Every structure is written in structure tokens, then in C-alpha cells.
Amino acid sequence: MNNSSIKTRKKATSVSSAAFLLIGAALFGQILGFLRTKLVNANFPLTGPNSTDAYFAAFNIPDLFFFTLSAGALGVAFIPVLTDRLSKGNHKAMWELSNSLLNFLSGIMLIVAVIILVFARTLISHVVAPHLPPAEINTATAIMRLLAFNPLLFTLSGILTSMQQTMGRFFFYAIAPIFYNLSIIASIYLFRHNVGLVGLGIGALVGAVIQLIVVLFGLFKTNFVWKPKIIWRSSDFKKVMKNLPPRSLDQGIDQVEEIVETHIASGLGAGAISNYSNAYILSTAPILLIGTSIATAAFPRLNKRLAQNRPDLFRRDFQQILRTMIWVSAPVSVVAYFCRGYLARLIYTTGDSQISVIFGFLVFAIFARILYTIISRWFYSHKDTRTPLIVSIFAIGINIILAVYLAQPTQYGVAGLAIAQSIVASLEVLTLSVIMVIKDRKIFNAEFFNAVARIISVTGFSVIAGYIMITIYPLNIADKGVITLGGKLVFITSVTFLVHIIMSSFFDLEEVKPFISKVYKIILKPIKLDF
């Protein structure tokens, strides 16, 4: 092994270290996001011109354009190509591709911004939430227009952080979104008594600008220099453009699903959009904390294994990551289900039982979506973006059909949207797993299935522990406030996770050993004393 490869290995961030950094930053970001939503609920009404329904509806279209036109390129279509060039030491090709993609997508997103500005009212009143009262449509339109340039700003941030991730730099990628949440939180107090709910749109716009500025610091000492040109004939650029449409459509279809759900919810009475959005926000937290964080940290390494032509190491790493996700997400799902009432009351202070019911049905979707983040990356690492797209098209089609039927007032109402989500998310993961096994018969072995079986056994004890804890510390009508609710939630969660860890050790699960080793070192680490 030559000196340069040793230096590269020393400088590269390990999957575990990157995952811990991303999970830590994501945890803080999710706490801020949770606080942001809680403060929005506490400072603005459920109905009326400044209703939270208008706030949640306004974000749908900007998110659709960002995820459809950009998000597909920022990770799975972009990073594998950059990784190939980095592994070969071809930095010039890396920067040329980055410049081309940066300029190309920026131009498209600038056009998108103009479209949102001009057609905001039409999009709100005819596509997203046609059943909102006129005053709320006015508010949602004003907020959407302020968000018009956010897809462009997020696209710039995403491309720049993808470059940094490829080089093993995760810090600025991890902390940048925190500033976005802080800006919206600040806008609540700055504008609630004058501009009102529309002020949150100002906060979101300013937050997106600050996020981009933070990301720019991550380019320090990368030798990247922006150039206003697109190398259309570049084979790398063509490759990204080839992989971009399937992944972009896959992401876009998910956003279309959210728009359809918002559209349906708008016809289920005042507050239905807010209730579903609150429950959905609660459900995304564990997916981002566990699934997205670990999968993002692992993705460059999986790509590197294939770039090294080591499918054996790729399978080994993939199995370890998937097993870890299953092991971690199992107790999280248990706690989420048993503590759904506590979480609903935390995010919506005055309490709305509808949020708790919706979130309870979303728990199965949480578990499935966490696994999806790494299973989908198996395909993306192999530069296969078409298979997940095809599966997603069928899944979303089924989801929309189920949502329309189950969300009828005579069926489950707004909770039917959550039931449809869980059914389809589970089917999507199962289908992709079967296809993955067909493509690579060696991807799973007896050891993997044996480990999963033991994780399921351990989870059974976690279920018992969670049930006992909520029986001892039930949610009472008088329970309010972060200290009371948070205290119960922390205690129930701690005991459930402790049982999960102890039983995992008893069943000799590999996933628990690094955790116990770290705790053991922290407790017994000698302290140097100077005399």
C-alpha cells in the first residue's frame, strides 16, 4: 500500500464516526424542527386566516420542485460518479462535473422560482388545498411566493454538500439545516404580532440563505473554483443526466403523494391538514435520525467497495448496516407506538387526539421507511435508479387509491391516509428486497437471517417492557408541559431501550457489542491527575 492511499485512509471519515456526527446533528435538528412545529401550533390558530393549515399547505409545491428536479442528483446520481473520479485521483474531472451540474440545475431552479411566483395562487387553490377558505388561500399563497427561491438555494447547498460528502466531509452538511430551523423559530417571535403567519415564509427564505452560506465554509481547502460553464460532452455529466431522471421522478412521486394527501385532507374539515402534517412530522424524525443519517454516512463507502471491485466487502458492509438499522429501529418503533399520545400532546400543546391516532397508524411506515433508506441505496450504488422508480410508481399508485378510499368520512377519515402509508411502505420495501435477492443471490446468508430472528426475539421483550412502563406511567388528562410529558417519555424510552440492550447482549447480537464497548470505555476510562 502506497503512502497516498494510507494518507487517504487516515483522512477519510469512518462510517461509524460519520454516522454519529450525522445522527447527533440530525437529533439536534429534529429537536429544533419539533420545537419549530410546536411553537407554530402554539402561536397560530388551527382555523382562520392565519391558520396552520395554510402554513403546512404552502410548503408542498416548493418541496415538489426541489425533490423532483434536484434531490435525485444530489446523492444517488451524483456521488457515485464523483466517488469513481476521487478513487482514481482525477480531481479535475470532479470539479468539472460539479461545475456543470451546479450551473445546469441552478438555471432550471431559477425558472422554477419564477413559475412558483407567478402561479402560486392557482397552485394552492386548484392543486394543493382547494377546500381551504379564501382567507387561508391568500395566506398560503403569500407564504408560497416567499418560498419560491428556496428550491434554488437548497439545490446549491445540496450539490456543494454532495461534493463534501464524497471527500469524507460531513460536518457542514450536518449542521447547515440547523440554521434553517433556527431562522423560522426566530421569525415566529419577530412577526407573530405584525406580519402574522406570512412572516414564517420570510424566516424560511432567510434560513435557506444562511444554510447556503454555512455550506460554503465546507469548501475551504477543497481547491474547488466555480466556473460559469457546462461541459455538455462530458461522459460524467451525461452519466449523471442519465441517472437523474429515474431518481428525480422517484423523489417527485413521493412529493406528489404528499400533495394528494394534503388535497384530500383539505376536504376533511378545518384542522385536518394540520393534524396530519403534525403526525407526519413526528414520523419523519426517526426516519431522518436513523435511516437517512446512517445511509448517508454509509453510501460513499458502499460506492467505494464497488469502485474497488470488491463485491464481497460490499455485501459484508451492507449486511452490517442493514442489521444495525433493524436493531435500532425496532425499539424506536415500539416506543413510538406506545408513546404516541405523549408525543402528540408535546407537539400540539392543547392536545388533539386525532394526531395521536394518525401517528399510531404511521408507526409501521416509520420502520419500513428506515429500511428503505439503505435498501434503495443498494440499487443506487449499482447505478440502478430505474428499479426503485418503477417500484415507487406502482407503490404510489396503490397508495393514492387506498388513501382516497380509506380517508372517506365513512371509513377512517384523515387517519386513513396514515393506514395507506404504512401498507404501501411495507409493500415497497418487501418488493425491493425480493428484487435485490434475485439480482444478487449472495446478498443475504444464513448468518444474516439468524441475526434478524434474534433481533425479533429481543424486540418481543422490548414490547413487554414498553407496555409495562405505560401502564405504570399512563398519560393523564392533566399531563401537560415539556417537563411532565418529557419526563415520562424519557423514563419510558430509557427503560425500553435498556431492556432491548440487555436482551441483545443476552442473545449475543453483534449490533450491541460496539455500544457496550463504548459505554465500558467511558465508565472505566482512567482519568489522569496532575499533582
Side-chain angles (χ1 to χ4, degrees), residues 367-378:
F367 184 79
R369 293 299 183 199
I370 289 174
L371 300 189
Y372 178 86
T373 59
I374 190 63
I375 291 174
S376 62
R377 278 168 173 77
W378 182 93

Side-chain angles (χ1 to χ4, degrees), residues 6-20:
I6 294 174
K7 184 182 292 186
T8 301
R9 187 178 66 178
K10 286 181 178 179
K11 288 185 177 180
T13 305
S14 69
V15 171
S16 60
S17 298
F20 278 121

Side-chain angles (χ1 to χ4, degrees), residues 436-449:
M436 184 170 60
V437 172
I438 293 174
K439 286 178 174 287
D440 185 358
R441 301 279 183 177
K442 297 180 181 179
I443 188 62
F444 296 129
N445 52 29
E447 181 183 353
F448 174 81
F449 288 113

Side-chain angles (χ1 to χ4, degrees), residues 6 14 28 41 67 76 82-84 90 103 166 230 302 338 343 346 397 401 418 431 501 511:
I6 294 174
S14 69
F28 185 60
N41 290 330
F67 283 106
V76 299
L82 285 184
T83 302
D84 286 343
N90 193 346
N103 295 325
T166 303
I230 301 174
L302 292 176
F338 283 126
L343 291 167
L346 271 174
I401 294 171
T431 303
I501 291 169
E511 290 70 31

